[in-house]
Amino acid sequence: MLAALWRHLQWRGLTLAGLGILWITYGIGLIATDRPALVSAAAPLLRVMCLEAWGGVWIACGALGVVTAALRPGRDLAGFAGAAGPPLVWGLAYIAAAVTGSYGVAWASVPLFAAILLLVVIVAALTGGRTRGCACEGVADGR
């Protein structure tokens, strides 16, 4: 069963499912916990929506990644947008917070968001041209 699941998901689907689960967890954390430093670092975003709403955005993007993980390349672009969107927006917000001085040390978290974004783009680029076959269609090598 795991072999069939792997043949279907491969690295592309695994990336979407894994990041989707992580984004859902992070979104729940934004809603459920009180983090004063995060509020300071995300100040530019909090002018747009409250932290709970941003937690909902992370959860929605994570759910999009999980749902699209089983789709073939080309049909899962919404999942990759959902996987790349939150780190891109939050990375830019942290840069803005550091530059404006609302949270001077926010720059230290920017490389984390940039690394996640870079890895999402690399996985999407490296696996996008392949035709992923479904194990249920009798494809032996997963292509």
Side-chain angles (χ1 to χ4, degrees):
M1 182 172 136
L2 287 176
L5 181 63
W6 171 250
R7 280 194 306 269
H8 184 73
L9 291 179
Q10 296 182 1
W11 289 113
R12 189 173 178 97
L14 183 63
T15 299
L16 285 175
L19 284 176
I21 292 167
L22 292 172
W23 284 188
I24 291 169
T25 305
Y26 189 73
I28 292 169
L30 288 177
I31 294 169
T33 62
D34 181 31
R35 297 190 242 168
L38 184 130
V39 170
S40 298
L45 293 175
L46 297 179
R47 291 186 195 109
V48 178
M49 293 189 303
C50 67
L51 193 56
E52 291 78 13
W54 282 111
V57 169
W58 280 86
I59 292 169
C61 289
L64 189 59
V66 170
V67 168
T68 60
L71 300 178
R72 290 188 171 74
R75 295 182 181 171
D76 58 1
L77 293 179
F80 276 98
L88 175 65
V89 171
W90 280 64
L92 292 173
Y94 275 49
I95 290 171
V99 169
T100 61
S102 66
Y103 192 64
V105 295
W107 63 268
S109 296
V110 172
L112 176 64
F113 292 117
I116 293 167
L117 184 60
L118 178 65
L119 291 175
V120 168
V121 170
I122 288 170
V123 169
L126 289 178
T127 62
R130 296 181 183 163
T131 302
R132 188 171 62 205
C134 177
C136 59
E137 295 170 351
V139 177
D141 65 355
R143 291 184 178 233

